Amino acid sequence: MILLRVPRTRRRRLGVAAAAGGMLAALLTAAPAAAIPDPGDSPAPSKEVSRSDQAEAREAIESGEIPGQDEIVHSDNIRHVANIPKDALPGTNSDLAFQGRYAFAGNYDGFRIFDISDPRSPKTVAQVLCPGSQNDISVSGNLLFLSTDSSRSDSSCNSTTQPATEKSSWEGMKVFDISDKRNPRYVAAVETACGSHTHTLVPERKNVYVYVSSYSPNAGYPDCQPPHDGISVIKVPRNAPHKAAVVGFPVLFPGEGPDGGGNPGAPTNPGVSKTTGCHDITVLPSKDLAAGACMGDGILFSIKNPERPKVIDRVQDNVNFAFWHSATFNQRADKVVFTDELGGGSGATCNAAIGPNRGADGIYDIVGKGDRSKLVFRSYFKIPRHQADTENCVAHNGSLIPVRGKDLMVQAWYQGGVSVWDFTDSARPKEIAYFERGPLTTDQIVTGGSWSAYYYNGYIYSNDIAKGLDVLKIDDRRTDPARWVHLHELNVQTQPDYFD
């Protein structure tokens, strides 16, 4: 691990920290040159678009239909209060987590810790170089969890890319001690089948359970064999995190044969991803519930026994959903919002050609109780502002805005920006606020925009892939009551009971 240290003074110092569990840990200067992006963990390459699409993008800007290149626009009820550009970690910015006065921002090259005690002026506390996409990030107490879903030479933070066909390659979960926020310490690594694309915490007093989502097995990958179709469950003792270990692999889509029992995808269901695992899981511990977005399937399951989750219901949408990406419960746990990441996050899907029902949110009511609960489709929601064909845009990560009696959500849409919307009436969702930038380019698709947009203690925080951390303030009578709800910790995929 390389810690790109940001001391209290402007003068930067060089120091050395002890190795943890045989894993390299060193403190280096925060100069940008110290963090060298690993080519194996790069985002999707830029894609050229047709001359007609280029011309349409320029015409849309000139006519005022869309904002100009990098121009910021927003609704009247949102203010842009801060932007902190990338610094020593040049890779793709990814997910966010929060604890007290700190925000933790994942990046394909590692992670960054901000002091957000003054949200209008966040300060960098630490930058840790530890390459391995996606570096999905969560925190619980003194522990920080980081996902690695790219084949590495070993589990250390100075590993390099290595083919997944080699048995010695490593992918999985990394655990850091963050009791000293300025000096995170790497304490454990757990290899998991097919790596860890995302993860979800189920925290208990003595242990933290980690649900590891991964997919795309291949007969040529020694540590990622088909049919997969499940999740790895890791148990991490809080007082002995170095003893973290996989304690189970529940199969969520049982079936005979090499293809398992999930959605078969094409050619049976053209345009739909074959289910070979889950992309993301959201748990609601107060209700012992979880919702899984699993490629070609959406599932509802019980986590009464966290080591043995049990599927309650399963749904598919083989008309409009291409890739079930993430899930969000409403506060009363009688609705779930699933997202469809059509195009994998690198496509331009927020346009008239794709329409309002694809690359969108699917809103489902939960009907019934306990093990008899069913997911019932109600409607789709998609941002109403068309984007240029040079802008990657699709439904992505978001969180609730906690207001009693209302179902309000803030959500990232890559270059579609940040949207605040109301799904209190699950059949008639509507946008109530937005923030976005104009296209990064007008001649090709370059991956950018908001990866995650979450509400935390009165502000919206957005981790922009290219532009860094944005802080937004919403002033609206519909969302104002949320200002009185303050949390000590927030991992959005471990959804809190905001009013308990």
Side-chain angles (χ1 to χ4, degrees):
M1 179 190 74
I2 299 176
L3 178 63
L4 306 173
R5 192 174 193 178
V6 182
R8 295 180 184 276
T9 59
R10 287 178 179 267
R11 186 175 179 179
R12 292 166 176 161
R13 296 172 292 176
L14 183 67
V16 177
M23 294 170 247
L24 180 66
L27 305 182
L28 292 183
T29 172
I36 302 172
D38 192 303
D41 297 311
S42 300
S46 302
K47 294 182 290 187
E48 297 293 331
V49 297
S50 68
R51 290 185 179 181
S52 62
D53 285 343
Q54 295 177 33
E56 286 181 12
R58 290 191 292 268
E59 289 171 6
I61 291 172
E62 291 170 3
S63 67
E65 182 182 346
I66 64 173
Q69 207 167 329
D70 286 339
E71 177 188 358
I72 290 176
V73 296
H74 53 80
S75 54
D76 291 340
N77 54 356
I78 274 188
R79 289 181 289 130
H80 188 207
V81 299
N83 171 261
I84 309 299
K86 290 183 182 181
D87 186 11
L89 301 173
T92 296
N93 281 334
S94 57
D95 212 3
L96 293 166
F98 304 89
Q99 187 181 84
R101 61 188 177 96
Y102 297 100
F104 304 82
N107 179 287
Y108 277 38
D109 287 328
F111 63 94
R112 189 173 182 180
I113 303 177
F114 295 97
D115 182 334
I116 54 171
S117 51
D118 180 0
R120 297 164 298 180
S121 183
K123 307 296 183 187
T124 299
V125 173
Q127 300 185 71
V128 175
L129 177 63
C130 195
S133 67
Q134 299 185 127
N135 277 341
D136 190 48
I137 193 167
S138 297
V139 293
S140 184
N142 288 330
L143 300 178
L144 180 148
F145 302 84
L146 208 61
S147 284
T148 300
D149 191 33
S150 58
S151 187
R152 313 295 302 178
S153 56
D154 56 51
S155 63
S156 75
C157 282
N158 62 343
S159 66
T160 58
T161 57
Q162 182 169 289
T165 52
E166 294 188 24
K167 177 61 180 173
S168 63
S169 294
W170 185 91
E171 300 180 55
M173 289 297 308
K174 296 169 181 169
V175 185
F176 292 77
D177 184 318
I178 53 168
S179 51
D180 181 353
K181 301 296 188 293
R182 292 185 174 273
N183 295 279
R185 187 168 56 92
Y186 187 5
V187 295
V190 181
E191 187 171 17
T192 55
C194 300
S196 174
H197 194 70
T198 66
H199 68 268
T200 304
L201 305 186
V202 184
E204 296 185 340
R205 182 173 297 178
K206 293 183 178 180
N207 305 297
V208 180
Y209 287 97
V210 186
Y211 289 170
V212 176
S213 296
S214 55
Y215 52 92
S216 295
N218 187 301
Y221 300 163
D223 299 317
C224 184
Q225 293 285 297
H228 198 57
D229 270 352
I231 58 174
S232 297
V233 179
I234 298 173
K235 184 178 180 180
V236 185
R238 291 188 184 276
N239 293 331
H242 62 281
K243 295 182 179 179
V246 174
V247 293
F249 187 86
V251 175
L252 302 178
F253 304 96
E256 299 294 332
D259 294 329
N263 195 319
T268 303
N269 297 315
V272 177
S273 295
K274 175 183 175 181
T275 298
T276 59
C278 289
H279 178 276
D280 212 338
I281 291 170
T282 292
V283 297
L284 191 57
S286 63
K287 305 290 187 182
D288 289 328
L289 282 176
C294 304
M295 305 180 72
D297 295 86
I299 60 173
L300 182 71
F301 55 103
S302 167
I303 58 168
K304 287 181 181 179
N305 182 340
E307 292 189 22
R308 295 177 177 84
K310 175 185 176 183
V311 174
I312 297 171
D313 194 28
R314 168 184 165 194
V315 290
Q316 296 178 354
D317 180 345
N318 294 319
V319 175
N320 288 314
F321 259 47
F323 187 91
W324 296 66
H325 175 276
S326 53
T328 303
F329 288 98
N330 69 333
Q331 180 58 42
R332 293 177 60 188
D334 59 8
K335 299 173 190 172
V336 181
V337 174
F338 289 104
T339 67
D340 171 28
E341 195 184 39
L342 173 68
S346 62
T349 75
C350 298
N351 52 32
I354 298 298
N357 296 338
R358 300 173 62 212
D361 297 315
I363 305 166
Y364 287 74
D365 286 352
I366 300 176
V367 178
K369 300 292 183 181
D371 290 353
R372 296 185 177 181
S373 298
K374 296 293 182 182
L375 292 165
V376 179
F377 174 76
R378 292 303 187 208
S379 65
Y380 298 106
F381 170 77
K382 193 171 184 179
I383 56 173
R385 293 159 285 107
H386 285 169
Q387 307 295 305
D389 287 336
T390 60
E391 293 180 277
N392 63 302
C393 175
V394 75
H396 214 235
N397 295 345
S399 77
L400 293 185
I401 298 179
V403 175
R404 286 187 185 273
K406 297 289 184 181
D407 296 325
L408 306 175
M409 186 171 173
V410 58
Q411 187 176 4
W413 289 79
Y414 290 112
Q415 286 195 63
V418 175
S419 175
V420 179
W421 59 290
D422 184 337
F423 64 104
T424 306
D425 182 344
S426 54
R428 296 175 179 82
K430 59 183 179 181
E431 185 177 76
I432 62 175
Y434 69 90
F435 166 90
E436 69 166 293
R437 291 180 170 88
L440 288 171
T441 68
T442 58
D443 59 357
Q444 57 185 343
I445 297 180
V446 177
T447 301
S450 179
W451 178 290
S452 297
Y454 299 146
Y455 185 93
Y456 179 69
N457 293 353
Y459 289 82
I460 293 169
Y461 296 86
S462 166
N463 209 18
D464 188 288
I465 290 170
K467 300 297 184 180
L469 182 73
D470 286 310
V471 185
L472 311 175
K473 180 74 169 176
I474 183 167
D475 295 298
D476 189 289
R477 60 178 176 78
R478 293 163 288 191
T479 61
D480 285 348
R483 297 178 183 178
W484 302 104
V485 179
H486 277 250
L487 302 176
H488 172 65
E489 193 170 271
L490 177 64
N491 301 295
V492 169
Q493 288 74 33
T494 306
Q495 217 170 292
D497 185 337
Y498 289 95
F499 304 113
D500 183 7

